[in-house]
Amino acid sequence: MGVNTVNLEQANFIDEFLGNRDGSTVRVPASMAKMQLAAETAGPNYETRDELYADLDWAEGVLSAVWGDSIEARRGVYRKVG
């Protein structure tokens, strides 16, 4: 049946968030959520690295995140150089 959210154990630190992706509930590692939130406040935010590479019209030194690339090694934070 599950546990009502008001009855969940309290924690001061987390490993994951629950989120919504295209209408489905998903688990999001805290580290990926942090990168995505930081990129939204610092610079462009892209689902794929190809999208990032296609748009280089942002300032040098700004951080950007790739959060949904099908190749996991491409997900992460990028800093624009040049």
Side-chain angles (χ1 to χ4, degrees), residues 42-63:
N45 185 16
Y46 297 97
E47 184 170 357
T48 70
R49 191 179 74 176
D50 290 341
E51 292 173 322
L52 170 72
Y53 284 2
D55 176 19
L56 297 178
D57 190 23
W58 39 289
E60 181 174 357
V62 171
L63 297 177

Side-chain angles (χ1 to χ4, degrees), residues 4-5 9 12 14-15 17 25 40 43-44 47 56 59 69-70 73:
N4 291 328
T5 56
E9 181 180 332
N12 292 323
I14 61 167
D15 299 314
F17 289 97
T25 302
E40 287 180 7
E47 184 170 357
L56 297 178
D69 202 289
S70 60

